Amino acid sequence: MEVNNNNQKARIKKPTTFTEQINILKNRNLQIDDESQAIKILSRINYYRLSAYMLSFKVGDRFHDGVSFSDVYSLYEFDKTLRSMIMGVLETIEIAFRTHIAYFIAHKYGAMGYEKCENFRNIDYHSNMMRKFQEEIERSDEIFVQHHKSAYGGVFPIWVVIELISFSVLSKMYNNLKEEDQNEIASNYYHTKGEYVKTWLYTLSVFRNICAHYGRLYDRRLKITPKLFKADRKKGINNNTVFSVFFIMGRLLKDKSMWGNFVTNLSALIEKNEKVDLKLMGFPVNWEELLRGV
């Protein structure tokens, strides 16, 4: 095993200087008009990270004629701005779901109803959720956590503890609610069934992590996908695309003014980045109409 591992290590490429990276790109037919500026960019953006934005501009190792370093960097900046725009919308959706779930559990099962495994579908998942709650309580330095420790002996009602968990744990918590409880929340707030909402939440929690860790959105296919209505699929929306995430974001965001602003800003961002190929993100031709009408 160790011999094989050494063989794999021997195959790893040797590190290159910024100047060598420039020469590699030029030899692959990439046009670089300002080498000093390109080196500055490579000195603050890892070549490997930037290379992901080169994929749509080349075949194999050779770039299409006329493609420049500026084209690649513009695509990177487009993705960066897009992630920032998305995070604001996801924050609003996530906070709303915290409210929906906490309110529902508190009024149906009581302030401490989340502690009882019989109120959930899977005992093991519930145990894991409780462990996550405790970890966050112990780790938190929030004033409201210290207040509940001192004033209430460390007893945390659902509307307090739900503010400590990650979007991922929140998604798992909803997924572990009883089917009738999922359906009631989904129906009350989103006029649909829980079987759809739980996949939307899961997808958004994973997508948020991609954005939070500066992952690439452009030319990305989703591994975790939302369940779409048949009518949505007939509109040409594929559920493994970035566009499908935008579509469910619009469906879940209750602040329609905020959503309208997002679509307007998205349109402006796309318009000023002529190298962006919307098909690589699953955008139908009438994408703006679909998003505004969601």
Side-chain angles (χ1 to χ4, degrees):
M1 178 67 73
E2 187 171 342
V3 172
N4 184 57
N5 191 41
N6 288 335
N7 289 338
Q8 295 299 326
K9 288 180 179 179
R11 295 174 58 192
I12 296 295
K13 296 177 181 178
K14 293 180 180 180
T16 54
T17 65
F18 298 130
T19 300
E20 287 172 334
Q21 292 169 12
I22 291 294
N23 289 331
I24 289 171
L25 293 173
K26 288 171 67 176
N27 289 333
R28 293 176 177 174
N29 200 39
L30 184 66
Q31 181 181 323
I32 302 178
D33 299 321
D34 188 338
E35 292 190 16
S36 62
Q37 179 63 21
I39 287 176
K40 286 180 182 178
I41 292 172
L42 288 169
S43 70
R44 57 187 173 82
I45 304 172
N46 188 353
Y47 177 96
Y48 188 76
R49 173 180 289 274
L50 201 58
S51 67
Y53 297 91
M54 301 175 185
L55 297 176
S56 60
F57 289 126
K58 61 182 183 177
V59 176
D61 280 338
R62 187 166 181 81
F63 288 90
H64 303 307
D65 290 341
V67 175
S68 69
F69 187 88
S70 296
D71 293 333
V72 175
Y73 182 61
S74 294
L75 203 55
Y76 171 85
E77 286 292 303
F78 164 82
D79 216 43
K80 179 181 176 181
T81 303
L82 186 60
R83 286 194 302 269
S84 179
M85 289 169 53
I86 290 167
M87 288 297 282
V89 176
L90 290 180
E91 177 184 348
T92 302
I93 292 171
E94 179 185 345
I95 289 173
F97 260 102
R98 291 180 190 275
T99 304
H100 302 334
I101 295 173
Y103 188 90
F104 178 85
I105 290 177
H107 285 83
K108 182 169 182 177
Y109 298 114
M112 307 304 297
Y114 72 94
E115 292 186 338
K116 298 179 180 180
C117 62
E118 60 265 29
N119 294 335
F120 294 83
R121 302 169 72 175
N122 186 295
I123 294 176
D124 291 335
Y125 291 169
H126 177 264
S127 296
N128 186 58
M129 179 190 74
M130 293 302 298
R131 185 165 58 252
K132 291 289 185 183
F133 281 162
Q134 192 57 43
E135 288 174 359
E136 294 303 327
I137 289 171
E138 293 173 359
R139 181 164 46 192
S140 177
D141 60 359
E142 291 280 2
I143 293 175
F144 68 84
V145 172
Q146 304 310 316
H147 169 70
H148 271 78
K149 284 182 177 179
S150 60
Y152 299 101
V155 175
F156 292 85
I158 181 61
W159 55 84
V160 174
V161 76
I162 205 165
E163 294 298 335
L164 298 175
I165 57 175
S166 68
F167 198 170
S168 176
V169 175
L170 183 72
S171 168
K172 292 174 183 176
M173 184 179 188
Y174 180 83
N175 189 55
N176 199 30
L177 290 174
K178 294 177 180 178
E179 185 176 351
E180 61 266 29
D181 294 345
Q182 290 180 10
N183 284 335
E184 188 167 340
I185 293 173
S187 176
N188 286 345
Y189 297 103
Y190 303 106
H191 312 295
T192 187
K193 296 180 180 179
E195 65 181 286
Y196 289 97
V197 172
K198 68 181 180 182
T199 72
W200 298 349
L201 264 188
Y202 185 23
T203 299
L204 292 186
S205 70
V206 173
F207 199 75
R208 182 206 172 279
N209 284 342
I210 293 171
C211 293
H213 292 91
Y214 322 116
R216 174 175 51 88
L217 302 182
Y218 188 74
D219 195 15
R220 189 184 196 106
R221 287 295 176 267
L222 307 181
K223 293 182 179 179
I224 305 301
T225 59
K227 184 174 183 178
L228 300 177
F229 300 146
K230 186 182 295 184
D232 297 334
R233 297 197 302 272
K234 287 182 177 179
K235 295 172 184 174
I237 303 172
N238 295 320
N239 72 341
N240 68 337
T241 64
V242 170
F243 183 79
S244 72
V245 177
F246 290 168
F247 194 75
I248 61 171
M249 281 167 50
R251 185 158 275 158
L252 291 173
L253 186 66
K254 308 309 289 183
D255 185 341
K256 293 309 176 186
S257 175
M258 182 181 185
W259 181 245
N261 289 336
F262 173 83
V263 177
T264 297
N265 292 334
L266 176 61
S267 180
L269 178 65
I270 290 170
E271 188 173 340
K272 77 174 186 178
N273 287 271
E274 59 182 28
K275 292 296 182 180
V276 170
D277 184 349
L278 294 179
K279 294 191 296 296
L280 295 179
M281 294 191 293
F283 278 57
V285 174
N286 61 334
W287 68 267
E288 189 169 350
E289 177 188 345
L290 291 176
L291 292 185
R292 291 194 184 279
V294 70

